[in-house]
Every structure is written in C-alpha cells, then in structure tokens.
Amino acid sequence: MAGGVPTWEEVAREHGRFLYNVAYRLAGNDSDAQDLVQEALLRVRKGLERYQPGSLEGWLARIVTNVFLDEVRRRKRRPADAFPEDPDWVLPPAPAADEVSTGFSDEVQAALASLPDEFRAAVVLCDVADLPYEEIAQSLGVPVGTVRSRIHRGRRLLRDALVAPGETA
Amino acid sequence: MNGRPTPDDRLSAYLDGELDAAERDAVDGYLATSPDWRTEHDEIAYARHALRALPTHEAPQGFWEGVLSPELTRARARRRSRLPRVAAAMSGVAVAAVVIASLVMPSSDRVTPRVPALSDSHAVRTSVSDEPVSRLATLSMVTPFRR
C-alpha cells in the first residue's frame, strides 16, 4: 500500500470478504451479489484516486449500496429483471433472542430479502456494515431523520416476518 | 390517554447510541413506565440482534480468483505485448547502426592494391624471364577486389 491509498487488488484481497457479505445481504443471493461486487470493484478502481484515507469499509459499503440501488432502479424500469423473491419461503418459528445462530441465519436472510429495498439498504448499512447514521444518510442521499425511520421500520418489518402466523414474540 | 407517545423510531436510535442526551433520557422514562415501549424495545432489539448475529456470507469457491485473474491476465498481456516492441526497437537500432556505419566508414574495409605499380613490376619481371604464364597473370590484377 503506497502513501496510504490501497491498490485495487489490495482492496479486493483485504476487504473483499466484507464487501461480498454486504452485497449478499443486499441482493439476497450469490448470483446478484457477485454482479454487485464486480460492479462495485470497477467503481472502486475508478474512484481510488479520489479516496481519502479513512474508513475504507464504510466507503466500500456505500459504493456497493449505491450499485445495489442503481440496479434496483434499473430493474424497476424492466420488471422482468426484478430481484427474485423466494415463493417457497415460509415464516419460521420465532426463537428466543439468545437462540439466534447460524442455523437461524437463512430465515433472517429471507426476512431481510423481503424488506422494501430502501429499508433493506438502511438496515444493512447499519447492522451489517455497522455505519453510523450520518454516513448512512450521506450514502443514501437522505436526511438522518429518514435514515432513523427506515432503520426502525425495517427492523419492525423484519421482526414481524420472523414471527410465524399465530405466534407471538 | 396517559400523555406518552406511542413507541417510535427513537427506540432504534436508542439501541444504536444515536440519540442525544435529552432524547435518551426521554426514552429511558418511557421504558420505565410503559409496557408498550418495553415490548417494542424488546422486539426491535431482537431484530437488531438477529441481523448483527448473521455470519459473514462467503463468496463461492473460485469467485475471487475469477475476479482477480483477468487483472493478472491483462498485466501479463501488457508485459507480453511489450516484448515484441522492445525486440523490434532493438532490431531497428541495429539496422540503423549498420547503415550509419556503412555511410560514415565506406572504405574502411576496402583494400586498394597498388595495381599499376604491381603490374609494372610484374611486367618487368616477365619481360626479363620471358615466362608466358606470368605474362597472362598480370591481366587478373587489373580489377580491384574486396578482402
């Protein structure tokens, strides 16, 4: 790494795992996550000269989220290309909070994928990428108050999705 | 109506440490006195925890090699494409050097025999010895030759 600014390959090698995870949580499947990551890395490559040393993973999370939202808008113009939803997904039973484990992660991921795109982006930037509200607001181009509302409503919807019909929390 | 607002997005901000002191105190007060706020708090905390507990999802095997290999291939291709250019440039320099050398030193490797003097002295010797073969030999010395 020369002068604090990493090369494109260093970003891919050292932060690719983080980038892929955020992309997957946004897209909900590996195929779309791979496309998001590749497009994000192209933007990283073009933008590295302007990168100011700081939170590299925050910067990467913002880029991949913008790629995702750009793709969402593009697919809305062409509905046949919409991100796939899983029609076979069924609401799982709600475990106690301390029972959340990797075995439960598929259900959480499916619930996350069911959120409206703008809510999902806010929730992923907050709870997966761990960005503060101010950075999320900059990433999404909305006021901090809107970020707070989207995160809260996203979590509320996700909680509802994780509770099977007839069950209570 | 007890004067308390219904639970709202301050709860998520409360959990994320994004409230200022006044808002945090207000939420603390609601949580201390309202079952609705406590229920909402627990449910939002549950969702937040479920998301944050998600394991890192790994890319399929071979994905990163595929992402990086085109770059490496292009780098290799750039190195390969430079070799013929370097070889061609060196060949050009060599040819130019030969041409320049031939122009600058056009007679450096040319031998100019003193044909008239040799011919004269040989003619004198053959006239003295009256040898026919040597008489003929003088004719071959007329044209210059390269070493």
Side-chain angles (χ1 to χ4, degrees):
Chain A
M1 189 181 294
V5 177
T7 65
W8 176 86
E9 286 117 321
E10 285 170 339
V11 170
R13 289 199 177 92
E14 296 171 19
H15 302 279
R17 193 165 176 257
F18 168 83
L19 182 64
Y20 191 90
N21 186 46
V22 174
Y24 179 81
R25 298 305 173 197
L26 289 167
N29 64 78
D30 280 307
S31 176
D32 287 325
Q34 290 174 36
D35 290 344
L36 292 183
V37 166
Q38 296 198 42
E39 175 61 26
L41 286 174
L42 284 176
R43 295 190 190 187
V44 165
R45 196 173 179 178
K46 290 176 186 169
L48 268 177
E49 290 176 2
R50 296 188 300 277
Y51 170 69
Q52 300 292 317
S55 171
L56 182 58
E57 293 196 341
W59 184 59
L60 293 175
R62 290 198 296 275
I63 289 175
V64 77
T65 301
N66 284 325
V67 172
F68 167 71
L69 292 174
D70 288 348
E71 184 64 10
V72 165
R73 286 187 279 271
R74 189 188 72 78
R75 293 184 184 203
K76 279 180 178 169
R77 291 194 296 270
R78 299 177 60 188
D81 295 339
F83 279 107
E85 293 180 5
D86 183 357
D88 298 324
W89 180 62
V90 293
L91 292 168
D98 60 358
E99 291 175 349
V100 174
S101 65
T102 53
F104 184 52
S105 63
D106 289 347
E107 286 78 8
V108 176
Q109 175 57 44
L112 184 60
S114 72
L115 300 183
D117 301 317
E118 290 80 6
F119 293 1
R120 183 158 74 254
V123 162
V124 167
L125 286 175
C126 182
D127 289 327
V128 177
D130 203 23
L131 298 189
Y133 285 14
E134 183 65 42
E135 278 193 46
I136 297 171
Q138 290 172 7
S139 304
L140 302 179
V142 297
V144 171
T146 304
V147 168
R148 189 162 100 172
S149 172
R150 288 182 182 177
I151 289 171
H152 186 72
R153 293 169 68 187
R155 287 172 177 165
R156 176 75 263 169
L157 289 170
L158 188 128
R159 178 68 184 110
D160 293 344
L162 290 173
V163 178
E167 294 192 38
T168 56
Chain B
M1 194 70 176
N2 54 20
R4 279 191 300 267
T6 55
D8 58 31
D9 58 19
R10 280 178 289 179
L11 274 173
S12 275
Y14 177 84
L15 290 166
D16 293 328
E18 293 274 357
L19 292 182
D20 60 31
E23 285 183 308
R24 194 169 57 247
D25 288 347
V27 171
D28 280 336
Y30 301 144
L31 290 174
T33 57
S34 167
D36 289 347
W37 274 79
R38 283 196 295 275
T39 299
E40 180 77 354
H41 171 275
D42 291 348
E43 294 195 359
I44 295 302
Y46 172 89
R48 181 178 182 272
H49 176 70
L51 288 163
R52 288 175 177 256
L54 282 171
T56 297
H57 184 86
E58 303 291 348
Q61 195 167 14
F63 171 71
W64 287 111
E65 288 80 358
V67 166
L68 290 167
S69 64
E71 177 67 13
L72 297 175
T73 302
R74 279 195 291 277
R76 283 195 294 268
R78 281 197 294 274
R79 281 198 297 274
R80 275 200 301 271
S81 69
R82 276 199 296 269
L83 287 175
R85 285 203 298 272
V86 169
M90 291 178 70
S91 300
V93 168
V95 168
V98 169
V99 170
I100 290 170
S102 67
L103 292 173
V104 169
M105 300 178 289
S107 59
S108 62
D109 60 349
R110 183 181 292 254
V111 175
T112 306
R114 294 174 295 155
V115 174
L118 288 170
S119 180
D120 289 344
S121 68
H122 193 71
V124 169
R125 283 200 304 275
T126 55
S127 65
V128 171
S129 63
D130 200 24
E131 182 189 353
V133 173
S134 296
R135 285 176 188 271
L136 291 174
T138 60
L139 299 175
S140 66
M141 300 294 286
V142 173
T143 55
F145 63 93
R146 285 179 181 276
R147 185 162 50 191

